[in-house]
Amino acid sequence: MEKFTVLNSVAAPLMLANVDTDLIIRIERLYRLDRGELGAWAFESLRYLSDDRENPQFLLNQPPWRGARILLAAENFGCGSSREGAVWALWDLGVRCVIAPSFGDIFYNNCIQNGMLPLRLAAEQVESLAAEAKNVGGEISVDLAAQQVRTASGRLLAFDIEPGQRETLLKGLDAISLTLAYSAEIDKYQERDRMLRPWLYRKA
Amino acid sequence: MHSMAARTLFDKLWDAHVVADLGDDVALLHVDRQLLHDLSGYRALRELQRRGLQVRNPERAYAVPDHLVSSAPGRSGGNAEWSNLQINGLRSSCDKWGIRLFDVNDAEQGIVHVIGPELGLTQPGLLIVCGDSHTSTHGALGALAWGIGSSELVHVLATQTIVQKRPRRLRVHFSGRLAPGVEAKDLILYLIGREGAAAGTGYAVEYAGEAISELDMEGRMTLCNLSIEWGAKIGMVAPDARTCDWLKGRPHAPRERDWDAATTAWRALRSDAGARFDREIEVDACKVEPQITWGTSPQDTIAVSARVPDPSATNDIARRAAMHKALEYMGLVPGQAIAGTRIDRVFIGSCTNSRLVDLRRAAMLVQRAGRRVAPHVRAWVVPGSQSVKREAEAEGLDRIFLDAGFEWREPGCALCVGANGELIAPGERCVSTSNRNFVGRQGPQARTHLASPVMAAAAALAGEIADAREF
Ligand code: SF4
């Protein structure tokens, strides 16, 4: 998995609440296309007009924000379906970090699994970043090791992340190989469970 | 460390599945069963194979094609070549690993969250995951169940465990009883509307109180199913006598002396008196009226007797803008009565509301009304599983629907998400018993109103949004 260390980019102030994963990527795009091919379909209902032309009103179609690697959003970003394709579609669009006050729980974990940073800041802080993005512009910098966002004007905002997830992202760790080191413990759990809940182990 | 103090149901289940404590409230948990469907399940198996990993415990995995299968009468697979490619892929992966597959026309096929409980694969105390956010449904039986992404599912298949951070605990206490004509769907939509689509984020939710004890198992499933629509990955109801009665005799339920041992263990699965929740919410169930959504989030819900809300009544600028957008998408005007809004389609189905009692209640309304589906409306009934379909046909529900002009179709997700190509046309308005009214959920530009099965049946007959209590 790609490591996440420091990311410098403009931050696109999308600032919508409750952006659901259906909106990020429609389901039928996911089984006809693979990871790596989804960028064109991310946010399709917002990005294109009914005649398939780009919608010039949509933020990510506008010059400073097109290709932004950081998205700013309002609360509950990535709610709804568990589809991991939502993360892949954002990834294919070039996004590596979403900053929001809160995230859908499944989406949040899916980000960690894919080297994308879901970054939680207080709503006022995200709003101040959005205001700065619109009024001042310029790149912001996200430093995961330092757990700090440096705004375009040089303000520093600290953020929290669960230590294991931070480690996973910083080192691009593979969760499965880490867990396979616990094989003996898993065996032991299953042996004990067989005694505790024998009914689960008989053939129906 | 939690064993002596009063514990919540959630904590009992969590603690019982810890394989290793990874620190910072993160644990490696044992997964008892994983359910695979034709989208995320197949993708995970493909990825596992690509990475050269092994399925550690294939006997703990169960697979079913549900999203991509056609719901057309007499179907034999998907509606298109690419859906059959996926279904075939799932078939051969299951074959290769020795995973039990409930194939397209298997007597036990159905929507993954319908067949799990129905077959007794879902039981109190089990930790169950599936690459699907509505896995919360299984919590209705006192299982610890939640939806995961396909990478996490690969992890589960390869290790039979999952790494998770312990969520906070939230209890919703529903006092009083539901009024006649009000269903579990109304109760949970009402709650989501009141609390908001993000209120449950980060929590494992337990639903309790008189209204829940009184609720049939299917209603509890509807309730837990929509947990994710207010942000909670996990929703659960403590198992009780009703849970045990409902499970008894099901194909994978414990038998004979196992049954006694299992039910004894299940009885301990409830929150102890004095157990501490991080948050508690009270809802007076008597006050809830039949609900219908007006917008593009499940939180956009009102009583069927109410008027479409006016965005200018809110001071929150962002919320006001979001409401305007939703109303524009839905083609509704602030202040108009929601009842009487002309509709084009009705969908009775999905893992939320496609079980036998759902269909029974809708059919009873149709029979009682003695009316036919309005001529301009196309109304579908899609049973949640083959077993639901068989039982419904044995009771003659299919005849009631067909005689009234509904279509009676084959089990699967169908119009809930349209992954099988069955869609609502752009601009069409659908009253749907499913769980998501997101922009484009039932098709690009499709307008979805979420409601209970009786509300959907009433709308089909009236040709417009209508109050089921008047039928
Ligand atoms: S019925 Fe709808 S919500 Fe349920 S599993 Fe199928 S697509 Fe998902």
Side-chain angles (χ1 to χ4, degrees):
Chain A
M1 198 176 77
E2 204 171 298
K3 292 176 189 166
F4 188 108
T5 51
V6 177
L7 176 66
N8 299 307
S9 167
V10 293
L14 195 59
M15 297 314 284
L16 300 172
N18 301 315
V19 170
D20 60 74
T21 55
D22 280 77
L23 193 71
I24 299 173
I25 187 83
R26 288 187 50 77
I27 200 162
E28 72 264 28
R29 304 297 174 202
L30 289 177
Y31 41 80
R32 296 201 234 183
L33 298 169
D34 245 313
R35 307 173 65 149
E37 306 171 339
L38 298 169
W41 303 110
F43 295 116
E44 69 176 281
S45 68
L46 299 173
R47 238 163 108 200
Y48 304 105
L49 299 168
S50 49
D51 59 1
D52 294 340
R53 274 182 310 127
E54 271 194 2
N55 178 358
Q57 301 298 324
F58 183 54
L59 188 84
L60 298 179
N61 289 338
Q62 294 165 1
W65 316 119
R66 189 189 288 276
R69 298 168 80 74
I70 300 173
L71 282 188
L72 302 175
E75 65 162 9
N76 208 20
F77 187 88
C79 63
S81 150
S82 65
R83 66 188 64 160
E84 200 159 318
V87 177
W88 303 333
L90 292 177
W91 185 276
D92 293 349
L93 200 58
V95 175
R96 296 293 178 270
C97 171
V98 183
I99 303 179
S102 60
F103 293 89
D105 283 343
I106 308 176
F107 177 85
Y108 188 93
N109 281 3
N110 285 341
C111 284
I112 304 289
Q113 299 283 334
N114 286 278
M116 177 149 355
L117 175 62
L119 195 159
R120 289 193 192 104
L121 284 178
E124 313 82 67
Q125 291 178 313
V126 185
E127 276 156 27
S128 76
L129 282 175
E132 234 185 82
K134 282 182 221 158
N135 303 331
V136 185
E139 291 196 340
I140 71 168
S141 176
V142 174
D143 183 338
L144 178 57
Q147 293 184 219
Q148 230 170 34
V149 178
R150 178 187 294 275
T151 72
S153 64
R155 283 186 303 137
L156 293 177
L157 306 172
F159 64 91
D160 275 334
I161 181 168
E162 191 272 302
Q165 296 181 329
R166 174 170 167 270
E167 193 74 357
T168 299
L169 289 172
L170 279 173
K171 298 191 175 149
L173 296 176
D174 169 38
I176 296 177
S177 35
L178 294 180
T179 298
L180 286 173
Y182 287 92
S183 287
E185 282 85 351
I186 301 169
D187 285 340
K188 223 175 293 158
Y189 180 95
Q190 293 186 337
E191 261 165 57
R192 197 184 47 192
D193 191 50
R194 197 177 279 274
M195 313 279 285
L196 288 173
R197 300 187 294 179
W199 59 86
L200 289 179
Y201 296 83
R202 287 196 246 284
K203 276 257 159 284
Chain B
M1 66 181 158
H2 295 272
S3 60
M4 296 314 284
R7 286 186 302 164
T8 66
L9 165 61
F10 165 77
D11 286 297
K12 290 180 185 181
L13 297 185
W14 179 280
D15 293 348
H17 288 90
V18 174
V19 171
D21 185 343
L22 305 180
D24 302 306
D25 254 357
V26 177
L28 184 67
L29 299 171
H30 187 261
V31 173
D32 296 323
R33 279 177 181 158
Q34 61 271 27
L35 309 175
L36 311 173
H37 67 55
D38 44 4
L39 293 179
S40 60
Y42 173 49
R43 193 176 271 274
L45 285 167
R46 228 172 48 192
E47 177 67 9
L48 177 118
Q49 272 156 251
R50 193 187 65 77
R51 295 182 55 181
L53 297 161
Q54 304 288 315
V55 178
R56 191 185 196 280
N57 290 105
E59 76 284 3
R60 291 176 180 272
Y62 297 85
V64 65
D66 54 3
H67 284 65
L68 294 173
V69 294
S70 166
S71 74
R75 63 102 189 274
S76 59
N79 284 318
E81 195 183 338
W82 41 262
S83 34
N84 287 322
L85 277 174
Q86 303 270 313
I87 296 169
N88 282 331
L90 179 67
R91 247 176 225 140
S92 53
S93 297
C94 288
D95 219 37
K96 172 178 157 85
W97 294 108
I99 292 170
R100 173 78 169 97
L101 172 77
F102 305 104
D103 212 335
V104 177
N105 285 334
D106 189 298
E108 297 182 328
Q109 182 266 347
I111 304 171
V112 65
H113 311 308
V114 175
I115 67 169
E118 180 178 273
L119 296 173
L121 289 169
T122 306
Q123 296 171 18
L126 293 188
L127 196 158
I128 297 174
V129 297
C130 172
D132 194 286
S133 58
H134 293 101
T135 308
S136 56
T137 311
H138 305 260
L141 289 91
L144 180 57
W146 71 90
I148 60 178
S150 42
S151 294
E152 285 182 304
L153 188 50
V154 176
H155 185 283
V156 172
L157 286 163
T159 69
Q160 208 52 46
T161 61
I162 188 160
V163 178
Q164 285 293 291
K165 182 169 173 70
R166 196 182 196 114
R168 290 170 294 168
R169 311 139 193 88
L170 190 162
R171 179 161 59 188
V172 185
H173 186 267
F174 291 98
S175 58
R177 296 179 176 208
L178 292 178
V182 179
E183 304 200 348
K185 181 67 156 288
D186 303 309
L187 198 58
I188 184 71
L189 281 176
Y190 172 85
L191 174 72
I192 298 168
R194 200 184 80 174
E195 299 296 321
T201 306
Y203 290 101
V205 175
E206 179 178 345
Y207 301 102
E210 189 187 0
I212 305 304
S213 325
E214 295 286 320
L215 213 53
D216 52 35
M217 291 309 296
E218 290 81 357
R220 295 179 189 182
M221 289 180 222
T222 302
L223 198 74
C224 290
N225 177 275
L226 275 114
S227 298
I228 188 70
E229 306 314 330
W230 62 302
K233 272 206 306 204
I234 298 170
M236 54 207 320
V237 175
D240 57 13
R242 186 164 284 180
T243 316
C244 296
D245 289 348
W246 194 88
L247 271 171
K248 195 161 192 179
R250 294 190 179 266
H252 293 262
R255 295 177 189 285
E256 294 157 24
R257 75 192 157 84
D258 276 345
W259 175 256
D260 300 329
T263 48
T264 304
W266 295 348
R267 266 196 287 278
L269 299 178
R270 52 194 167 80
S271 293
D272 298 325
R276 214 184 55 77
F277 288 81
D278 297 284
R279 201 176 153 207
E280 301 224 39
I281 292 178
E282 283 284 332
V283 178
D284 183 353
C286 324
K287 287 208 303 222
V288 177
E289 281 190 70
Q291 300 287 304
I292 182 100
T293 62
W294 57 266
T296 53
S297 160
Q299 73 179 1
D300 299 337
T301 182
I302 48 176
V304 64
S305 57
R307 291 177 178 279
V308 173
D310 185 351
S312 62
T314 169
N315 291 325
D316 179 340
I317 297 169
R319 176 69 190 140
R320 197 186 298 164
M323 287 175 75
H324 273 301
K325 241 193 202 125
L327 289 172
E328 190 193 334
Y329 181 83
M330 292 298 291
L332 295 172
V333 180
Q336 78 174 88
I338 190 92
T341 307
R342 187 182 160 99
I343 61 155
D344 309 289
R345 302 286 302 262
V346 163
F347 172 53
I348 299 178
S350 90
C351 59
T352 308
N353 277 129
S354 63
R355 299 181 180 83
L356 189 62
V357 299
D358 296 315
L359 305 192
R360 206 182 271 153
R361 280 198 281 262
M364 291 305 104
L365 181 139
V366 171
Q367 197 173 43
R368 203 164 60 233
R371 284 169 63 175
R372 288 183 56 81
V373 172
H376 66 275
V377 173
R378 198 165 165 212
W380 285 14
V381 183
V382 182
S385 70
Q386 301 282 353
S387 154
V388 168
K389 182 166 181 262
R390 271 193 310 277
E391 288 176 51
E393 288 174 355
E395 289 182 15
L397 306 184
D398 59 326
R399 287 289 7 136
I400 297 174
F401 285 123
L402 286 165
D403 290 346
F406 288 83
E407 291 180 41
W408 178 250
R409 300 178 67 94
E410 298 290 339
C413 300
L415 267 179
C416 173
V417 69
N420 64 351
E422 295 167 5
L423 295 171
I424 302 296
E428 277 192 342
R429 191 180 294 286
C430 179
V431 175
S432 176
T433 66
S434 54
N435 42 46
R436 288 189 173 138
N437 51 349
F438 295 156
V439 166
R441 171 75 177 186
Q442 293 189 296
Q445 298 301 318
R447 293 164 167 164
T448 303
H449 295 272
L450 302 177
S452 75
V454 289
M455 284 285 291
L461 305 183
E464 56 188 39
I465 292 172
D467 188 338
R469 293 170 300 186
E470 289 164 10
F471 283 72

mmCIF file of all heavy atoms in Angstrom, chain B residues 84-104:
data_model
loop_
_atom_site.group_PDB
_atom_site.id
_atom_site.type_symbol
_atom_site.label_atom_id
_atom_site.label_comp_id
_atom_site.label_asym_id
_atom_site.label_seq_id
_atom_site.Cartn_x
_atom_site.Cartn_y
_atom_site.Cartn_z
ATOM 1 N N ASN B 84 -24.133 -11.812 -15.443
ATOM 2 C CA ASN B 84 -23.908 -13.263 -15.422
ATOM 3 C C ASN B 84 -22.427 -13.602 -15.265
ATOM 4 O O ASN B 84 -22.083 -14.592 -14.628
ATOM 5 C CB ASN B 84 -24.486 -13.900 -16.682
ATOM 6 C CG ASN B 84 -26.006 -13.932 -16.614
ATOM 7 O OD1 ASN B 84 -26.576 -14.163 -15.548
ATOM 8 N ND2 ASN B 84 -26.651 -13.678 -17.735
ATOM 9 N N LEU B 85 -21.571 -12.757 -15.828
ATOM 10 C CA LEU B 85 -20.125 -12.969 -15.637
ATOM 11 C C LEU B 85 -19.770 -12.923 -14.158
ATOM 12 O O LEU B 85 -19.004 -13.752 -13.661
ATOM 13 C CB LEU B 85 -19.334 -11.888 -16.378
ATOM 14 C CG LEU B 85 -19.101 -12.116 -17.869
ATOM 15 C CD1 LEU B 85 -18.429 -10.900 -18.490
ATOM 16 C CD2 LEU B 85 -18.255 -13.371 -18.088
ATOM 17 N N GLN B 86 -20.350 -11.952 -13.462
ATOM 18 C CA GLN B 86 -20.076 -11.818 -12.023
ATOM 19 C C GLN B 86 -20.648 -12.999 -11.251
ATOM 20 O O GLN B 86 -20.002 -13.544 -10.369
ATOM 21 C CB GLN B 86 -20.745 -10.550 -11.470
ATOM 22 C CG GLN B 86 -20.353 -9.273 -12.143
ATOM 23 C CD GLN B 86 -19.155 -8.631 -11.484
ATOM 24 O OE1 GLN B 86 -19.094 -8.507 -10.279
ATOM 25 N NE2 GLN B 86 -18.188 -8.250 -12.269
ATOM 26 N N ILE B 87 -21.868 -13.360 -11.571
ATOM 27 C CA ILE B 87 -22.510 -14.465 -10.849
ATOM 28 C C ILE B 87 -21.723 -15.758 -11.088
ATOM 29 O O ILE B 87 -21.468 -16.525 -10.148
ATOM 30 C CB ILE B 87 -23.993 -14.601 -11.263
ATOM 31 C CG1 ILE B 87 -24.769 -13.351 -10.847
ATOM 32 C CG2 ILE B 87 -24.620 -15.843 -10.631
ATOM 33 C CD1 ILE B 87 -26.178 -13.243 -11.425
ATOM 34 N N ASN B 88 -21.313 -15.964 -12.333
ATOM 35 C CA ASN B 88 -20.489 -17.144 -12.638
ATOM 36 C C ASN B 88 -19.163 -17.103 -11.889
ATOM 37 O O ASN B 88 -18.671 -18.131 -11.443
ATOM 38 C CB ASN B 88 -20.210 -17.244 -14.144
ATOM 39 C CG ASN B 88 -21.416 -17.803 -14.879
ATOM 40 O OD1 ASN B 88 -22.196 -18.573 -14.300
ATOM 41 N ND2 ASN B 88 -21.571 -17.422 -16.134
ATOM 42 N N GLY B 89 -18.609 -15.901 -11.786
ATOM 43 C CA GLY B 89 -17.351 -15.743 -11.060
ATOM 44 C C GLY B 89 -17.517 -16.130 -9.594
ATOM 45 O O GLY B 89 -16.677 -16.832 -9.019
ATOM 46 N N LEU B 90 -18.626 -15.694 -8.999
ATOM 47 C CA LEU B 90 -18.901 -16.036 -7.606
ATOM 48 C C LEU B 90 -19.031 -17.555 -7.470
ATOM 49 O O LEU B 90 -18.474 -18.166 -6.559
ATOM 50 C CB LEU B 90 -20.188 -15.350 -7.132
ATOM 51 C CG LEU B 90 -20.615 -15.635 -5.682
ATOM 52 C CD1 LEU B 90 -19.624 -15.028 -4.689
ATOM 53 C CD2 LEU B 90 -22.019 -15.084 -5.388
ATOM 54 N N ARG B 91 -19.764 -18.136 -8.426
ATOM 55 C CA ARG B 91 -19.950 -19.589 -8.439
ATOM 56 C C ARG B 91 -18.617 -20.328 -8.446
ATOM 57 O O ARG B 91 -18.377 -21.202 -7.620
ATOM 58 C CB ARG B 91 -20.672 -19.965 -9.739
ATOM 59 C CG ARG B 91 -22.042 -20.493 -9.514
ATOM 60 C CD ARG B 91 -22.735 -20.764 -10.847
ATOM 61 N NE ARG B 91 -24.081 -20.234 -10.770
ATOM 62 C CZ ARG B 91 -24.712 -19.600 -11.746
ATOM 63 N NH1 ARG B 91 -24.133 -19.418 -12.924
ATOM 64 N NH2 ARG B 91 -25.935 -19.154 -11.559
ATOM 65 N N SER B 92 -17.742 -19.951 -9.369
ATOM 66 C CA SER B 92 -16.507 -20.741 -9.485
ATOM 67 C C SER B 92 -15.572 -20.467 -8.305
ATOM 68 O O SER B 92 -14.875 -21.375 -7.844
ATOM 69 C CB SER B 92 -15.816 -20.540 -10.833
ATOM 70 O OG SER B 92 -15.625 -19.189 -11.065
ATOM 71 N N SER B 93 -15.604 -19.244 -7.755
ATOM 72 C CA SER B 93 -14.786 -18.989 -6.560
ATOM 73 C C SER B 93 -15.274 -19.829 -5.384
ATOM 74 O O SER B 93 -14.475 -20.389 -4.637
ATOM 75 C CB SER B 93 -14.849 -17.515 -6.152
ATOM 76 O OG SER B 93 -14.308 -16.712 -7.157
ATOM 77 N N CYS B 94 -16.581 -19.894 -5.212
ATOM 78 C CA CYS B 94 -17.129 -20.679 -4.100
ATOM 79 C C CYS B 94 -16.789 -22.155 -4.278
ATOM 80 O O CYS B 94 -16.459 -22.858 -3.321
ATOM 81 C CB CYS B 94 -18.640 -20.492 -3.997
ATOM 82 S SG CYS B 94 -19.073 -18.875 -3.372
ATOM 83 N N ASP B 95 -16.877 -22.585 -5.514
ATOM 84 C CA ASP B 95 -16.533 -23.951 -5.855
ATOM 85 C C ASP B 95 -15.092 -24.260 -5.476
ATOM 86 O O ASP B 95 -14.781 -25.255 -4.836
ATOM 87 C CB ASP B 95 -16.697 -24.082 -7.370
ATOM 88 C CG ASP B 95 -17.287 -25.418 -7.730
ATOM 89 O OD1 ASP B 95 -18.153 -25.875 -6.965
ATOM 90 O OD2 ASP B 95 -16.857 -25.991 -8.753
ATOM 91 N N LYS B 96 -14.213 -23.361 -5.876
ATOM 92 C CA LYS B 96 -12.790 -23.551 -5.632
ATOM 93 C C LYS B 96 -12.492 -23.651 -4.138
ATOM 94 O O LYS B 96 -11.677 -24.459 -3.709
ATOM 95 C CB LYS B 96 -12.020 -22.380 -6.246
ATOM 96 C CG LYS B 96 -10.539 -22.339 -5.903
ATOM 97 C CD LYS B 96 -9.872 -21.170 -6.617
ATOM 98 C CE LYS B 96 -8.606 -20.739 -5.904
ATOM 99 N NZ LYS B 96 -7.420 -21.475 -6.261
ATOM 100 N N TRP B 97 -13.158 -22.832 -3.318
ATOM 101 C CA TRP B 97 -12.831 -22.788 -1.897
ATOM 102 C C TRP B 97 -13.738 -23.653 -1.028
ATOM 103 O O TRP B 97 -13.556 -23.738 0.178
ATOM 104 C CB TRP B 97 -12.885 -21.339 -1.381
ATOM 105 C CG TRP B 97 -11.824 -20.481 -1.998
ATOM 106 C CD1 TRP B 97 -12.001 -19.508 -2.926
ATOM 107 C CD2 TRP B 97 -10.417 -20.545 -1.747
ATOM 108 N NE1 TRP B 97 -10.801 -18.952 -3.277
ATOM 109 C CE2 TRP B 97 -9.807 -19.572 -2.560
ATOM 110 C CE3 TRP B 97 -9.617 -21.332 -0.914
ATOM 111 C CZ2 TRP B 97 -8.434 -19.362 -2.569
ATOM 112 C CZ3 TRP B 97 -8.251 -21.128 -0.926
ATOM 113 C CH2 TRP B 97 -7.675 -20.150 -1.750
ATOM 114 N N GLY B 98 -14.748 -24.247 -1.640
ATOM 115 C CA GLY B 98 -15.671 -25.059 -0.849
ATOM 116 C C GLY B 98 -16.580 -24.205 0.025
ATOM 117 O O GLY B 98 -16.898 -24.564 1.159
ATOM 118 N N ILE B 99 -16.998 -23.060 -0.514
ATOM 119 C CA ILE B 99 -17.914 -22.174 0.221
ATOM 120 C C ILE B 99 -19.347 -22.483 -0.193
ATOM 121 O O ILE B 99 -19.641 -22.603 -1.383
ATOM 122 C CB ILE B 99 -17.572 -20.697 -0.068
ATOM 123 C CG1 ILE B 99 -16.207 -20.351 0.538
ATOM 124 C CG2 ILE B 99 -18.659 -19.760 0.456
ATOM 125 C CD1 ILE B 99 -15.662 -19.000 0.124
ATOM 126 N N ARG B 100 -20.227 -22.607 0.793
ATOM 127 C CA ARG B 100 -21.630 -22.893 0.498
ATOM 128 C C ARG B 100 -22.254 -21.719 -0.247
ATOM 129 O O ARG B 100 -22.245 -20.584 0.237
ATOM 130 C CB ARG B 100 -22.389 -23.147 1.805
ATOM 131 C CG ARG B 100 -23.903 -23.282 1.652
ATOM 132 C CD ARG B 100 -24.286 -24.648 1.113
ATOM 133 N NE ARG B 100 -25.724 -24.875 1.213
ATOM 134 C CZ ARG B 100 -26.587 -24.679 0.207
ATOM 135 N NH1 ARG B 100 -26.178 -24.236 -0.972
ATOM 136 N NH2 ARG B 100 -27.878 -24.938 0.392
ATOM 137 N N LEU B 101 -22.783 -22.017 -1.430
ATOM 138 C CA LEU B 101 -23.419 -20.986 -2.256
ATOM 139 C C LEU B 101 -24.905 -21.293 -2.381
ATOM 140 O O LEU B 101 -25.278 -22.415 -2.716
ATOM 141 C CB LEU B 101 -22.769 -20.966 -3.646
ATOM 142 C CG LEU B 101 -23.445 -20.082 -4.699
ATOM 143 C CD1 LEU B 101 -23.107 -18.616 -4.480
ATOM 144 C CD2 LEU B 101 -23.040 -20.508 -6.109
ATOM 145 N N PHE B 102 -25.744 -20.307 -2.100
ATOM 146 C CA PHE B 102 -27.172 -20.449 -2.369
ATOM 147 C C PHE B 102 -27.385 -19.858 -3.756
ATOM 148 O O PHE B 102 -27.507 -18.651 -3.915
ATOM 149 C CB PHE B 102 -27.986 -19.712 -1.307
ATOM 150 C CG PHE B 102 -27.655 -20.153 0.097
ATOM 151 C CD1 PHE B 102 -26.880 -19.353 0.926
ATOM 152 C CD2 PHE B 102 -28.100 -21.385 0.586
ATOM 153 C CE1 PHE B 102 -26.565 -19.756 2.219
ATOM 154 C CE2 PHE B 102 -27.790 -21.791 1.875
ATOM 155 C CZ PHE B 102 -27.014 -20.983 2.695
ATOM 156 N N ASP B 103 -27.388 -20.710 -4.745
ATOM 157 C CA ASP B 103 -27.346 -20.258 -6.138
ATOM 158 C C ASP B 103 -28.675 -19.626 -6.581
ATOM 159 O O ASP B 103 -29.672 -19.702 -5.872
ATOM 160 C CB ASP B 103 -26.954 -21.427 -7.051
ATOM 161 C CG ASP B 103 -26.169 -20.948 -8.264
ATOM 162 O OD1 ASP B 103 -26.334 -19.771 -8.660
ATOM 163 O OD2 ASP B 103 -25.403 -21.749 -8.830
ATOM 164 N N VAL B 104 -28.651 -19.075 -7.784
ATOM 165 C CA VAL B 104 -29.759 -18.223 -8.264
ATOM 166 C C VAL B 104 -31.145 -18.819 -7.997
ATOM 167 O O VAL B 104 -32.015 -18.144 -7.456
ATOM 168 C CB VAL B 104 -29.602 -17.906 -9.760
ATOM 169 C CG1 VAL B 104 -30.777 -17.084 -10.270
ATOM 170 C CG2 VAL B 104 -28.300 -17.153 -9.996
#
